[in-house]
Amino acid sequence: MSMPAQLIARSRARLARARLWAQFLFLQPEPPDRRHGTGPRPAPTGWAIDGSPNGGVADDRRTPTWNGVRRHGVVWLAYASAARHLIKLSTPALLVFLPLGLIAAAALVVLLDGAAAVINGGFELVGPPGVPLLVWSAAVLVATVAGQMVVLPATTMIAAGLLVGKNVSTVDAMRAAARRWPAMLALVLIGAVVIGADLVVGFGILLWNGAQVPAYVITALLLLFSLPCLLAVPGVVLKQRSARSAFALAYWLTSHAPWATALTLAFGVLIFPALIQQVVEEALSETPVLQAGTGFGLGLVAVPFQATVIARLFLHRLALAGMTAELMEIADALPASTSRRARPVLVLAAFLLPSLLYGGAVLVNPLGWVEVSETVVTRKLPHVAGEDTSEADGRPPQPTLGSSDLQALYAGPDGRLTMLMDGSSEATLLTCADSGCARPRLSWAEPPAVDGERTAVSARLADGRIAVTTWAIDEHYRRVYDENWRARLGLLICDATACAPAPGGKPLMKVRWGERTKVVTLAARPGGGLVVARLHGLPLESDDDEEVLSLTTCDDPACIHPRTRKVAKLPVNTRTGGGRDLIAAVASDDRPVALRLDQDSGAIHVVSCDNPACTRASVEQPVGKGRSGYVFDRRNEPHAEMAVRADGRPLIAYEDLAEGAIKLLDCRTRTCSQADTVTLTAPGERHAGPAMVLDRAGRAWVAFQELGRKQIVIATCTGTRCTRTPVTRIPRRGDNGLTMTLDGRNRPVLAWMDGDGDNRDLILTTPLTLR
């Protein structure tokens, strides 16, 4: 057999198998009279419902043949019929749900009142739903169910009329459906009870033995075999039966082919519409305006297809049961009306109206909600090869992100963003061309032979490059510790593409094994140099209650000629190096300032220098102890940020452990001997952060995560007058890192990690209209 013939034969075999599966899924039962020997025999093939030969009714095109009603493939035939008459079948849903949706949207706009933002061109709720919003949601749900009690039976009646050759008007169908509201209400209540019982059984099994798979399977099967309840709808509206009688008829008609009936309803009414909507939403994920409008339109369009499947399946079951009299009764009872010319322009305009209104609201933004651009960077990172792929240095050529690696974020003059990432291994550098980060680049920053136990710190230099610390150790002592262990502090200079050792630089300092509790931070000098602040760890056998803070001043980024001076003594912190417990900054007049945060108590000390060489320094404690004793829970570590104004006065954002709130400390003097305090969050709530930057006007931007409300808030402060603005929501847990910078347009850019278990995302959030 030739190759083309083999391909044709294989294609035919696959088509035959597909047809077998389709017949299995979508109705291939035996008629009840053949299986049980009861019931009236079906009319001969080619005879009409009224019993006359087709030749006698050839001129009556409204009456389908018995053969047509009995045809298998209910889903495909119903979908084809719904597509041909989509304009007519969509009218009831448009008349009910379009006004309801417009009224609900208008009420929602009033209720949100600042709890929403325009994120990536679409409205999103960024705050927790309050009581008014919950009441609104319940009211919309009740109104939707009430509308569906009219729309679904009315559309089912119109679809049944099209199947039996009668043109049922929309007005007559909706009147008939409205008159049957008591029975439809009973159907809704019974259906809710049945579904609730199915879920209770599945949940009970899960509580009983803890096995998720059996619980899910049994729940799915119970829900699947509850779907024939939908066939009670045509029983109520077409046969004028009570809810109880309609349920009995529905299950009697499906008792001879329960699997085929349940699968037909599952695919035709639920799975296919949901799958189509999901595919369309994913395809339009980059255009939220089209996504929202299309989602509403698809919800309306789904009703005709669902109703046609229900109507055709009901008539199909009656035909297979040989219930000729019932079919004739249904056909005669349908209200016939004269055919009216369809107006597709009006229907199309109604479908487009939600998209147009939504797009206009997003474009105009009449309430002035903050507009936000947000990018999930981790979704755009290239795929990482397996662990078997490694370089000669023993590590993968492509690094990966950890859940708490984010350390710092910097914005270049060209809009480029650079993030320093460091966790339990060598530091990495992630760069983006802009806040959209269409093509992120993740590369190693540190060489392989470094001490990864202490995170790298960095500072943005005056020329836009980034200085990064690195602790080098000998290969032998990376895993072996003895009295000969040494670590050397060096500098890396990073640009947009890579990091390299500082040219001509030498190690800034060396530490021994007893000084491994080392804390170092960097600050850039206005003239292009660096200041390195270091807390000298005490020897393990020391009983001193103070440790020394030293400052190393460098005139150039490579720090070729460092000058080190011990400037102050501070109380010993029993847990150093675990977070942002040492921060350095340099004022515009080149005078250094250092902040020391006690990780145990939350106390803050500020060390300010009288001159650039720091020959004399003053120590103040503007924030006292918030708690006493060593805290073992590392998740309860405090955090602080510091920025220095142009006049040298520090601003400090910190977490007050005594009150459990994030506060802003506005120092009145350079030494912070006097300060004003403003509380940015409610006491006692769960928070993470803060991050802080100063803009060109001297305002403080303080960002933090409100974990209880699952939102990120930016407080804009002029002195102690602050305005809080929620800018985005936290999808999962948050609390894995938050940092902030200002872009070239003086807009804040947030980088933060969100994760739950192994799933973690690095997200960039840029408020575009926050002023």
Side-chain angles (χ1 to χ4, degrees), residues 457-459 467-469 491 508 520-524 530-533 583-585:
V457 294
S458 58
V468 179
T469 61
L491 287 176
L508 298 180
V520 172
T521 188
L522 292 180
L530 281 173
V531 169
V532 183
I583 304 172

Coordinates of all heavy atoms in Angstrom, one line a residue, residues 457-459 467-469 491 508 520-524 530-533 583-585:
V457 N 24.2 43.0 49.5 CA 23.6 44.3 49.6 C 24.1 45.1 48.4 O 25.2 44.8 47.9 CB 23.9 45.0 50.9 CG1 23.2 44.3 52.1 CG2 25.4 45.1 51.2
S458 N 23.4 46.2 48.1 CA 23.8 47.0 46.9 C 23.4 48.4 47.1 O 22.8 48.8 48.0 CB 23.0 46.4 45.7 OG 21.6 46.5 46.0
A459 N 23.9 49.2 46.1 CA 23.7 50.6 46.1 C 23.8 51.1 44.7 O 24.6 50.6 43.9 CB 24.6 51.4 47.0
A467 N 26.5 48.9 42.6 CA 27.6 48.2 43.4 C 27.0 47.2 44.3 O 26.0 47.4 45.0 CB 28.4 49.2 44.2
V468 N 27.6 46.0 44.3 CA 27.0 44.8 45.0 C 28.2 44.2 45.9 O 29.3 44.0 45.4 CB 26.5 43.7 44.1 CG1 25.9 42.6 44.9 CG2 25.4 44.3 43.2
T469 N 27.9 43.9 47.1 CA 28.9 43.3 48.0 C 28.9 41.8 47.7 O 27.9 41.2 47.3 CB 28.6 43.5 49.5 OG1 27.3 42.9 49.8 CG2 28.5 45.0 49.8
L491 N 33.8 43.9 46.1 CA 32.7 44.6 45.4 C 32.6 44.2 44.0 O 33.6 43.9 43.3 CB 33.0 46.1 45.4 CG 32.9 46.9 46.8 CD1 33.3 48.3 46.6 CD2 31.4 46.8 47.2
L508 N 37.8 44.9 51.0 CA 37.5 45.9 51.9 C 37.7 45.5 53.4 O 38.1 46.4 54.2 CB 36.1 46.4 51.7 CG 35.7 47.0 50.4 CD1 34.2 47.4 50.4 CD2 36.6 48.2 50.1
V520 N 26.8 44.2 56.9 CA 27.4 45.2 56.1 C 26.3 45.8 55.2 O 25.3 45.1 54.8 CB 28.5 44.6 55.2 CG1 29.0 45.6 54.2 CG2 29.6 44.1 56.0
T521 N 26.4 47.1 54.9 CA 25.5 47.8 54.0 C 26.2 48.8 53.2 O 27.3 49.3 53.6 CB 24.3 48.4 54.7 OG1 23.3 48.9 53.8 CG2 24.7 49.6 55.6
L522 N 25.7 49.3 52.1 CA 26.3 50.2 51.2 C 25.4 51.5 51.0 O 24.2 51.4 51.2 CB 26.5 49.6 49.8 CG 27.5 48.5 49.6 CD1 27.6 48.0 48.2 CD2 28.9 48.9 50.1
A523 N 26.1 52.6 50.7 CA 25.4 53.8 50.4 C 26.3 54.5 49.4 O 27.5 54.6 49.5 CB 25.1 54.7 51.6
A524 N 25.6 55.1 48.4 CA 26.4 55.9 47.3 C 26.6 57.3 47.7 O 25.7 57.9 48.3 CB 25.6 55.8 46.0
L530 N 31.6 55.6 47.5 CA 30.8 54.7 48.3 C 31.1 54.9 49.8 O 32.2 55.3 50.2 CB 31.0 53.2 48.0 CG 30.4 52.7 46.7 CD1 30.9 51.3 46.4 CD2 28.9 52.7 46.8
V531 N 30.1 54.6 50.6 CA 30.3 54.4 52.0 C 29.8 53.0 52.4 O 28.7 52.6 52.1 CB 29.4 55.5 52.8 CG1 29.4 55.1 54.3 CG2 30.0 56.9 52.6
V532 N 30.7 52.3 53.1 CA 30.4 51.0 53.6 C 30.3 51.0 55.1 O 31.2 51.4 55.8 CB 31.5 50.0 53.2 CG1 31.2 48.6 53.6 CG2 31.8 50.1 51.7
A533 N 29.1 50.6 55.6 CA 28.8 50.6 57.0 C 28.9 49.1 57.5 O 28.4 48.2 56.8 CB 27.5 51.2 57.4
I583 N 21.1 50.1 57.9 CA 20.9 50.9 56.7 C 21.8 52.1 56.7 O 21.9 52.7 57.7 CB 19.4 51.3 56.6 CG1 18.5 50.1 56.6 CG2 19.1 52.1 55.3 CD1 17.0 50.5 56.8
A584 N 22.4 52.4 55.6 CA 23.2 53.6 55.4 C 22.7 54.5 54.3 O 22.1 54.0 53.4 CB 24.7 53.2 55.1
A585 N 22.9 55.8 54.5 CA 22.5 56.7 53.5 C 23.5 57.9 53.6 O 24.2 58.1 54.6 CB 21.1 57.2 53.7

